[in-house]
Amino acid sequence: MIAEIKQLFHSLDGREGVRRTALIVGVVQVAFWTWLFFYIAQHSNPKGDGMEWVAMGPATAILIMFVWPALQFSRKNELLLLSLLLASLAAFMNVALFVEIAREFAETNQ
């Protein structure tokens, strides 16, 4: 009986760790989206055509298609592995997007 209770709490603890990780990664992605908005605002050419803001399209798409479902699944404590996978995939895509944005800004400043 006691072994079953310990096993139950151990399995719940493992699920809670996955849930917390998915929530943290998702919240970091929302913070990244917010930071990216201000980064583009500070580094865009005020006399330019505003094409720097085009990068917010893919960033918003990543946020809506991957991060939002991951946060919803984690909040409801459902499909936690899918939630963690979506949040991790969004993190990878956001890093690749940021590298591309930084490279574009570096090319225009030379």
Side-chain angles (χ1 to χ4, degrees):
M1 173 84 174
I2 293 177
E4 292 175 16
I5 293 173
K6 285 183 180 180
Q7 184 180 13
L8 175 67
F9 281 113
H10 187 279
S11 66
L12 288 175
D13 185 49
R15 288 180 51 101
E16 186 63 27
V18 172
R19 180 175 184 254
R20 261 191 239 128
T21 303
L23 281 171
I24 289 170
V25 172
V27 169
V28 168
Q29 296 303 306
V30 173
F32 173 76
W33 185 89
T34 305
W35 177 81
L36 184 63
F37 182 85
F38 290 106
Y39 178 83
I40 291 173
Q42 289 178 347
H43 291 87
S44 62
N45 183 0
K47 295 183 180 181
D49 58 0
M51 288 301 292
E52 297 89 359
W53 290 101
V54 171
M56 287 305 292
T60 304
I62 292 169
L63 186 76
I64 292 171
M65 292 188 312
F66 295 101
V67 177
W68 183 257
L71 288 173
Q72 292 300 314
F73 290 150
S74 296
R75 188 179 63 84
K76 293 177 183 178
N77 206 17
E78 298 174 347
L79 302 169
L80 294 177
L81 291 178
L82 178 62
S83 173
L84 186 59
L85 178 69
L86 288 172
S88 300
L89 184 62
F92 175 73
M93 290 190 310
N94 274 327
V95 166
L97 178 66
F98 178 72
V99 168
E100 179 61 27
I101 291 169
R103 190 173 62 88
E104 291 292 327
F105 279 128
E107 288 176 3
T108 59
N109 292 334
Q110 290 180 356

